[in-house]
């Protein structure tokens, strides 16, 4: 009986060891509104997160976990320093020493083509305010604002080239050069939604463009496919289905959508009138987008190959702002 008990303990100990989480890597990116820390793990990680003050710290306890990195990422953004140590109960404690208070949130990400399991901690330091002003038409005397959105960023590299080229780096370089050329044109001003190597959600990109009172939104991507035959540029504008879906979303939240149709408030309109106003705004936006898109695809065809000679339609989320 005693021998059986020892065998059972040994079996349980082996099972516990097999279930331990190993942190393979740790990465950090700083954006204007947040700092993101990513822990790459070999399996889903159970964790607990809490904050401490005087000084400001965020503590992450990863259950039954180990970390074997020669060097932790250097501080960046709101994070002054990262520390880690094993706890007596077998957990791994990661401490983020902060420059100032921040609102932390954490979530798990499943494996994708580039990464395995990830534990993500976002430290929010600012809230993006959307101006309550008309944005559909440039105000008299101000420059036309072109929002340039470099796709991907941070832990999202986008497409990967054969030799390791990352889409996020290529499109940021293109976007910076495009912004430089736009700023050189009298009457125009460029606004970059992403100025460095950090992650922005798709809706954040839309909101940043609207906060900048952008008149035109250009999202830059550099896609890749296994087949080497396709090549050249393509231009997309919002599809009719994508426009309808987004109009329905804004209609449901029209209390907060007072600046979507040239400054006309939707909060005091009935469903039918609010829907008509949104549809008109969205239709005008898509029509203007088509006109610009046709000029862009024509110009691209004069400097290089185009993959599709006509403007394409798709429901890309970043194109769905009803007033840009």
């Amino acid at each position: 009986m005693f021998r059986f008990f020892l065998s059972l303990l040994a079996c349980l100990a082996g099972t516990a060891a097999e279930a331990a989480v190993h942190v393979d890597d740790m990465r950090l990116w700083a954006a204007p509104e947040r700092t993101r820390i990513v822990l790459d793990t070999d399996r889903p990680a159970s964790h607990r997160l809490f904050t401490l003050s005087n000084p400001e710290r965020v503590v992450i306890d990863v259950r039954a976990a180990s970390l074997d990195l020669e060097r932790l990422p250097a501080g960046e953004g709101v994070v002054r320093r990262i520390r880690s140590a094993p706890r007596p109960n077998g957990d791994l404690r990661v401490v983020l020493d902060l420059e100032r208070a921040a609102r932390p949130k954490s979530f798990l990400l499943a494996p994708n083509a580039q990464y395995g399991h990830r534990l993500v901690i976002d430290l929010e330091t600012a809230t993006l305010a959307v101006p309550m002003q008309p944005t559909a038409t440039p105000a008299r005397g101000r420059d036309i604002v072109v929002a340039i959105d470099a796709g991907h960023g941070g832990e999202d590299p986008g497409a990967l080239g054969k030799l390791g080229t990352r889409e996020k780096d290529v499109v940021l370089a293109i976007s910076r050069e495009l912004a430089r050329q736009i700023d050189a044109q009298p009457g125009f001003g460029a606004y970059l939604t992403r100025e460095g190597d950090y992650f922005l959600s798709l809706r954040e990109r839309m909101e940043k463009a609207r906060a900048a009172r952008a008149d035109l939104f250009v999202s830059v991507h550099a896609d890749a496919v296994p087949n080497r035959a396709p090549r050249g540029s393509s231009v997309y504008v919002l599809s009719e289905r994508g426009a309808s879906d987004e109009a329905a979303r804004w209609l449901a939240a029209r209390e907060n959508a007072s600046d979507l149709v040239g400054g006309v408030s939707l909060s005091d309109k009935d469903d039918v009138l609010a829907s008509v106003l949104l549809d008109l705004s969205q239709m005008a936006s898509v029509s203007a987008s088509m006109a610009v898109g046709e000029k862009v695809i024509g110009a691209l065809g004069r400097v290089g190959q185009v993959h599709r000679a006509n403007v394409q339609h798709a429901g890309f989320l970043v194109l769905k702002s009803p007033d840009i």
Side-chain angles (χ1 to χ4, degrees):
M1 183 68 174
F2 183 69
R3 185 178 301 168
F4 171 78
F5 182 66
L6 287 178
S7 299
L8 180 60
L9 284 178
C11 180
L12 290 174
T15 302
E18 291 170 3
V21 172
H22 189 266
V23 178
D24 301 316
D25 198 4
M26 191 181 301
R27 293 168 283 128
L28 183 151
W29 286 277
E33 290 86 27
R34 77 164 64 84
T35 300
R36 169 167 287 191
I37 299 92
V38 180
L39 279 65
D40 292 304
T41 61
D42 61 350
R43 65 194 67 208
S46 175
H47 68 285
R48 184 171 72 102
L49 181 146
F50 60 94
T51 60
L52 297 172
S53 298
N54 298 319
E56 298 294 338
R57 288 154 289 166
V58 172
V59 181
I60 308 105
D61 285 337
V62 185
R63 183 176 175 82
S66 63
L67 180 149
D68 187 23
L69 298 178
E70 292 185 4
R71 182 178 299 177
L72 297 177
E76 190 176 350
V78 75
V79 176
R80 179 169 53 86
R81 182 177 59 164
I82 301 177
R83 298 178 283 129
S84 71
R87 304 199 68 206
N89 63 356
D91 292 352
L92 171 69
R93 171 159 290 184
V94 178
V95 179
L96 310 175
D97 295 321
L98 305 183
E99 297 284 357
R100 61 187 184 278
R103 296 183 302 276
K105 66 177 182 179
S106 62
F107 53 93
L108 299 177
L109 290 177
N112 61 19
Q114 284 84 35
Y115 299 109
H117 295 280
R118 286 153 290 162
L119 167 59
V120 180
I121 300 95
D122 276 343
L123 305 175
E124 303 284 350
T125 54
T127 301
L128 182 66
V130 178
M132 302 299 287
Q133 301 179 34
T135 61
T137 304
R140 179 170 297 180
R142 80 166 175 88
D143 290 349
I144 292 174
V145 178
V146 181
I148 305 169
D149 178 52
H152 309 282
E155 75 272 25
D156 175 15
L160 298 176
K162 184 177 181 180
L163 301 178
T165 305
R166 301 179 301 186
E167 178 181 3
K168 66 175 183 177
D169 301 327
V170 173
V171 297
L172 182 58
I174 292 172
S175 297
R176 285 171 172 166
E177 173 59 19
L178 178 58
R180 186 192 67 78
Q181 294 196 28
I182 288 174
D183 284 335
Q185 299 295 319
F188 286 83
Y191 170 75
L192 288 167
T193 62
R194 176 170 75 86
E195 298 189 47
D197 184 17
Y198 49 80
F199 177 81
L200 290 173
S201 72
L202 298 177
R203 290 215 173 267
E204 282 178 314
R205 298 167 188 267
M206 290 173 57
E207 291 167 2
K208 288 170 78 71
R210 298 191 68 245
R213 300 182 67 204
D215 306 294
L216 177 66
F217 183 96
V218 180
S219 191
V220 183
H221 287 262
D223 298 326
V225 292
N227 183 355
R228 295 180 62 86
R231 61 183 63 245
S233 304
S234 300
V235 175
Y236 286 83
V237 300
L238 185 62
S239 65
E240 182 177 339
R241 173 63 183 273
S244 299
D245 290 347
E246 188 65 9
R249 182 182 183 276
W250 281 111
L251 183 61
R254 67 178 182 271
E255 293 291 332
N256 300 318
S258 61
D259 59 338
L260 284 172
V261 287
V264 176
S265 174
L266 301 179
S267 60
D268 58 347
K269 307 296 189 296
D270 63 37
D271 285 357
V272 174
L273 180 55
S275 178
V276 169
L277 290 172
L278 266 175
D279 284 346
L280 289 172
S281 179
Q282 190 73 281
M283 287 170 58
S285 176
V286 172
S287 177
S289 299
M290 276 295 298
V292 174
E294 288 171 355
K295 290 182 178 295
V296 171
I297 197 71
L300 286 170
R302 292 193 293 273
V303 298
Q305 186 171 339
V306 293
H307 182 53
R308 289 172 175 161
N310 299 316
V311 176
Q312 305 297 302
H313 295 263
F316 293 127
L317 181 57
V318 291
L319 302 180
K320 288 186 177 184
S321 187
D323 53 346
I324 302 178

